[in-house]
Amino acid sequence: MMPQLQFRDAFWCRDFTAHAGYEVLLQRLLDGRKMCKDVEDLLRQRAQAEERYGKELVQIARKAGGQTEINSLRASFDSLKQQIENVGSLHIQLALALREELRSLEEFRERQKEQRKKYEAMMDRMQKSKVSLYKKTMESKKTYEQKCRDADEAEQAFERISTSGNQKQVEKNKAKQCKDSAIEADRVYRQNIEQLEKVRAEWEQEHRTTCEAFQLQEFDRLTILRNSLWVHCNQLSMQCVKDDELYEEVRLVLEGCNVDADIDGFIQAKSTGTEPPAPVPYVSYYDREVTPSGSPGVPASCGMIKRFSGLLHGNPKTTANAALAASTETLTSTPERNEAVYAAIAVKDTGAPTKDYRALYDYRAQNPDELDISTGDIMEVILEGEDGWWTVERNGQRGFVPGSYLEKL
């Protein structure tokens, strides 16, 4: 296995005044800071989406209807609404967890920023000091070299004069001064070199320390972001598992949803009857016999009057004048004429004790022999006419009402 590479061994520069290695590391940390912000933005937007989604689910569940349904399907639908609301609440809780993770990342990023700023300030100071002293040393080097050249030229000039035998004190003094200047420049140059070396050693040590600190920061950043993304994925996976568990409860309720039982329950609760209405038979007006006797208190001609009135006008509910005219004619006719011409409609006498009925609808009398009734009125049926008009008594009053408007108690 290859040894772990280190920043302190890989980010140097051969140029004494250049700091390319440090700049590369610094840029890496700045890029890492931007990456932290990108992850924070992702978590922030995901938290907003989860919160918005959760609230919408809760709102949908609470606004859902289903009150018109009955039995097991109603229970299944209510379970679905409840679990949708629970899922929405879980997504809202997930949004809170994401915001908490986001807060931790922001705090970590700010801590790294403060640490990095400390090393940046120290490195900037060391680099400026190193570059400044380097320039000063290079200037002293130039001065030293120039003084050395001047001293050599003065020494050579003095030697040429000495060889020719014309020695002058001036040339000798000049050579001595140049030599002393060169010696002083050499001393200053050496002193600057020593100071520069000292600063360079301090800068190098600081550079190593900064590289180690930057590598540690990078290690922490990568670890934190990796763990954060891992936790984020785990949170989403757990949310999916919780959602599935809640919907599984709905599926369990749906397994108990029995379609046949629901239909049976509806029929039992809302049934209106087990038999359809009987067909309406055709009854010839002239083929029926006159009923020999009627109910006490009711003229025997009432059934005939209703049928006769309906035959003339196409409606059993005739005007009062027509009904009275027909009644008068019938009463004055002989029995033979009544049988031959009118053949009064036969009616069915109950013969048994009177029966109680309830009015299903309102009806307003349109003829004098009819009776007003209202929905829910209780009355006794005295005579059930085959023409659909029944003789009833209510509160001491008798009259005709439509038999289809009544139901037996």
Side-chain angles (χ1 to χ4, degrees):
M1 182 176 178
M2 293 182 61
Q4 177 66 47
L5 299 178
Q6 301 294 325
F7 283 4
R8 65 173 180 265
D9 299 329
F11 292 97
W12 298 98
C13 185
R14 299 184 67 86
D15 187 348
F16 193 86
T17 58
H19 308 101
Y22 169 75
E23 292 172 355
V24 169
L25 290 178
L26 183 60
Q27 185 60 46
R28 175 58 182 169
L29 264 61
L30 295 176
D31 292 342
R33 176 179 172 81
K34 185 179 183 305
M35 178 60 184
C36 286
K37 290 183 177 180
D38 291 341
V39 174
E40 293 168 13
D41 289 340
L42 183 145
L43 294 179
R44 184 179 297 106
Q45 294 178 20
R46 183 58 188 263
Q48 293 173 354
E50 291 291 339
E51 182 179 24
R52 184 168 56 251
Y53 176 63
K55 290 181 177 180
E56 289 180 354
L57 283 182
V58 172
Q59 187 176 13
I60 289 171
R62 292 178 179 177
K63 287 185 176 180
Q67 287 77 14
T68 58
E69 190 52 67
I70 59 175
N71 300 328
S72 61
L73 184 60
R74 170 69 179 272
S76 299
F77 188 70
D78 290 343
S79 176
L80 177 61
K81 291 194 298 181
Q82 182 60 49
Q83 298 309 335
I84 288 177
E85 183 173 351
N86 293 340
V87 169
S89 299
L90 288 177
H91 280 276
I92 294 175
Q93 294 176 8
L94 175 60
L96 297 176
L98 292 176
R99 288 194 173 95
E100 186 64 28
E101 183 67 21
L102 172 63
R103 191 177 301 108
S104 299
L105 278 180
E106 290 175 343
E107 293 175 355
F108 169 75
R109 174 170 53 82
E110 289 304 314
R111 287 197 304 271
Q112 282 212 326
K113 177 183 177 181
E114 293 176 1
Q115 295 174 359
R116 189 187 71 251
K117 287 294 184 182
K118 293 179 181 179
Y119 286 101
E120 281 187 66
M122 196 173 302
M123 284 296 295
D124 288 344
R125 185 175 64 254
M126 295 296 298
Q127 288 173 355
K128 289 178 180 179
S129 176
K130 185 186 70 167
V131 171
S132 176
L133 189 55
Y134 175 78
K135 292 180 179 180
K136 181 180 179 181
T137 302
M138 292 301 101
E139 290 294 330
S140 66
K141 179 182 178 182
K142 290 181 181 179
T143 301
Y144 163 70
E145 291 175 349
Q146 184 62 41
K147 294 298 183 181
C148 288
R149 285 193 294 269
D150 292 345
D152 289 343
E153 292 177 357
E155 185 67 26
Q156 292 174 2
F158 177 71
E159 289 178 356
R160 285 196 301 271
I161 294 173
S162 298
T163 303
S164 63
N166 296 322
Q167 295 183 355
K168 292 184 178 181
Q169 189 63 31
V170 176
E171 297 297 335
K172 184 177 179 180
N173 292 338
K174 182 179 179 180
K176 185 176 182 304
Q177 290 177 356
C178 289
K179 186 175 181 180
D180 292 342
S181 296
I183 294 173
E184 178 62 21
D186 177 70
R187 186 189 65 79
V188 173
Y189 176 46
R190 287 178 180 274
Q191 183 179 359
N192 289 337
I193 287 292
E194 291 175 358
Q195 293 178 354
L196 181 60
E197 176 58 23
K198 181 179 178 181
V199 171
R200 187 203 66 78
E202 293 176 355
W203 169 84
E204 181 178 335
Q205 181 59 38
E206 188 63 32
H207 181 79
R208 291 180 183 277
T209 303
T210 301
C211 287
E212 292 173 355
F214 282 3
Q215 184 166 358
L216 182 60
Q217 276 202 348
E218 183 67 3
F219 180 85
D220 291 342
R221 183 188 69 83
L222 293 173
T223 302
I224 290 294
L225 290 184
R226 173 184 175 274
N227 292 343
S228 178
L229 296 178
W230 195 291
V231 169
H232 180 60
C233 292
N234 287 344
Q235 289 172 332
L236 298 182
S237 297
M238 288 299 298
Q239 184 63 47
C240 293
V241 172
K242 292 177 181 178
D243 290 353
D244 186 68
E245 290 176 351
L246 294 177
Y247 290 129
E248 179 62 24
E249 294 183 13
V250 180
R251 287 190 286 268
L252 292 176
V253 177
L254 284 171
E255 288 179 356
C257 180
N258 190 317
V259 176
D260 293 335
D262 280 11
I263 293 176
D264 292 344
F266 170 72
I267 293 175
Q268 293 171 2
K270 301 293 183 178
S271 176
T272 59
T274 58
E275 296 181 359
V280 179
Y282 169 75
V283 179
S284 174
Y285 181 84
Y286 298 100
D287 292 344
R288 294 181 298 175
E289 296 180 356
V290 179
T291 304
S293 62
S295 177
V298 180
S301 61
C302 285
M304 183 272 294
I305 292 173
K306 285 292 177 183
R307 178 58 61 188
F308 181 69
S309 174
L311 182 64
L312 291 177
H313 301 283
N315 189 336
K317 295 177 283 185
T318 60
T319 63
N321 293 334
L324 290 175
S327 176
T328 302
E329 182 179 352
T330 303
L331 293 174
T332 58
S333 300
T334 63
E336 293 78 13
R337 184 183 179 188
N338 184 43
E339 293 177 2
V341 179
Y342 295 99
I345 300 173
V347 294
K348 181 174 65 174
D349 190 352
T350 59
T354 58
K355 293 174 285 186
D356 291 336
Y357 281 74
R358 178 189 293 112
L360 295 174
Y361 313 101
D362 294 339
Y363 177 73
R364 294 293 173 262
Q366 300 182 12
N367 293 308
D369 57 346
E370 295 177 357
L371 185 66
D372 291 338
I373 60 174
S374 301
T375 301
D377 285 352
I378 306 299
M379 61 202 72
E380 295 179 354
V381 175
I382 306 302
L383 187 65
E384 297 180 7
E386 294 182 355
D387 60 346
W389 291 88
W390 294 7
T391 303
V392 301
E393 180 176 348
R394 177 177 59 81
N395 298 331
Q397 296 180 345
R398 289 193 180 190
F400 288 102
V401 297
S404 60
Y405 278 43
L406 307 178
E407 72 169 353
K408 187 176 180 181
L409 293 177

